[in-house]
Amino acid sequence: MENSQKALVLLRQIIRSTDMQDKEISRGTGVTPPQLMVMQTLREHTQLTSGELAKEMVLTQATITSILDRLEKKELVARERGKEDKRKVWVSLTDKGTELMKGAPTTQQDIFVRSFEDMQNWEQSMVVSSLERIAFMLNAQHLDAAPLLDIGELDRNQQEYAKK
Amino acid sequence: MENSQKALVLLRQIIRSTDMQDKEISRGTGVTPPQLMVMQTLREHTQLTSGELAKEMVLTQATITSILDRLEKKELVARERGKEDKRKVWVSLTDKGTELMKGAPTTQQDIFVRSFEDMQNWEQSMVVSSLERIAFMLNAQHLDAAPLLDIGELDRNQQEYAKK
DNA sequence: TCAATATATTTTGAATAGCTAACTAATTTA
DNA sequence: TAAATTAGTTAGCTATTCAAAATATATTGA
């Protein structure tokens, strides 16, 4: 089989695995995968407006609104109207939400991290730079396929990634 | 940053990219991502029962049934009662469905394949074996977390993978 | 200043996806 | 052949997702 075909099959397998993991976490926590992703995004940024959240997750604001409604009802996130600009709504994890994120979701990652750290250092570097290649190719591909987005938006996203 | 953290960030980025690609294809074809995934699975196996489809995609039969209903209405897949075992329902792509799968979905992959083939051969091998490491780690992780499945099922899945 | 425009979010209405539980029909087994 | 199993569908529910319209606040130009 061609190397490129092998890569595609493996990528699909990887995505499938993470997908199944998400479902497991979901079952364990009573939080749906999209809700979980919102919470993960909030954990990384500590505070975001719902508009920023929508852009980050590539969903419409309306969708974010409904997910936030449910998370708020469960008291996992809190909304607060902006003080200076009252149109904005700042969203953040509640203590309860932060607590939940300390549990199952990270233990899954921990297992991965432990396996990863069992590798030799040279192998770790190899894997990381391979993932960089893949990520770059896929990203370029997306830029090719959708040259419609405004540059500002793309720029902003890249800055988000650069932060980490 | 730790190598393992880098790997996690890159993985998320990769998944996000493919996710966005799926949405683009979806918009381009009028077929939703889950529907598309069913069609991709069918393209690989040419013919499956809806139960096999459910197992392959890790969804309940009920969910598959409703997705198939919509794909059938669009005349992209066809259902046929089994001749020997009349409980079974064999599902396959129609000509129209096959035609659709020749378009956008593969051109996206083609772009990836072209970039991939631009790499030196040693680098291609490196990327493939890195993906294998990741896939293996994620898979083991899943087995750890869900030791409940029956062995036959796992075995069957592995054979499916082995086929390709 | 204040009317038009822009920005941020929510509401509404509709399609889809996903689940569990209950059901029909066909096959296997005891 | 009666009971159990297997394959799929149906029904009912919640959640996700979008587009379009509504609401509220900010900014800007005459």
Side-chain angles (χ1 to χ4, degrees), chain A residues 65-102:
Chain A
T65 295
S66 75
I67 294 174
L68 289 180
D69 286 346
R70 283 179 283 272
L71 283 173
E72 202 176 26
K73 205 185 301 174
K74 292 180 202 160
E75 298 180 343
L76 296 172
V77 308
R79 283 196 259 216
E80 196 192 356
R81 275 275 161 203
K83 295 256 162 75
E84 0 67 84
D85 187 339
K86 286 179 202 153
R87 292 169 305 177
K88 293 184 176 175
V89 169
W90 294 95
V91 188
S92 57
L93 291 178
T94 60
D95 290 349
K96 191 174 164 189
T98 307
E99 198 53 40
L100 186 69
M101 294 304 286
K102 277 187 189 148

Side-chain angles (χ1 to χ4, degrees), chain B residues 130-163:
Chain B
S130 295
L131 288 176
E132 275 165 358
R133 297 294 308 217
I134 295 277
F136 179 80
M137 286 192 296
L138 290 173
N139 209 45
Q141 186 175 357
H142 180 258
L143 297 186
D144 268 8
L148 321 159
L149 292 168
D150 81 276
I151 297 297
E153 199 168 328
L154 287 172
D155 200 44
R156 224 171 300 137
N157 282 335
Q158 301 212 328
Q159 286 176 10
E160 289 296 331
Y161 284 125
K163 266 193 217 168

Side-chain angles (χ1 to χ4, degrees), chain A residues 31-45:
Chain A
V31 171
T32 66
Q35 287 169 15
L36 192 73
M37 208 173 308
V38 165
M39 291 181 73
Q40 282 168 345
T41 307
L42 283 173
R43 183 177 50 182
E44 281 160 31
H45 296 79

Side-chain angles (χ1 to χ4, degrees), chain B residues 54-69:
Chain B
K55 240 171 225 155
E56 184 75 15
M57 297 186 56
V58 199
L59 296 173
T60 61
Q61 280 206 354
T63 300
I64 292 294
T65 294
S66 75
I67 294 175
L68 289 179
D69 286 346

Side-chain angles (χ1 to χ4, degrees), chain B residues 39 76 93-106:
Chain B
M39 291 181 72
L76 296 171
L93 291 178
T94 60
D95 290 350
K96 191 174 164 189
T98 308
E99 197 54 40
L100 187 69
M101 294 305 284
K102 277 186 190 148
T106 50

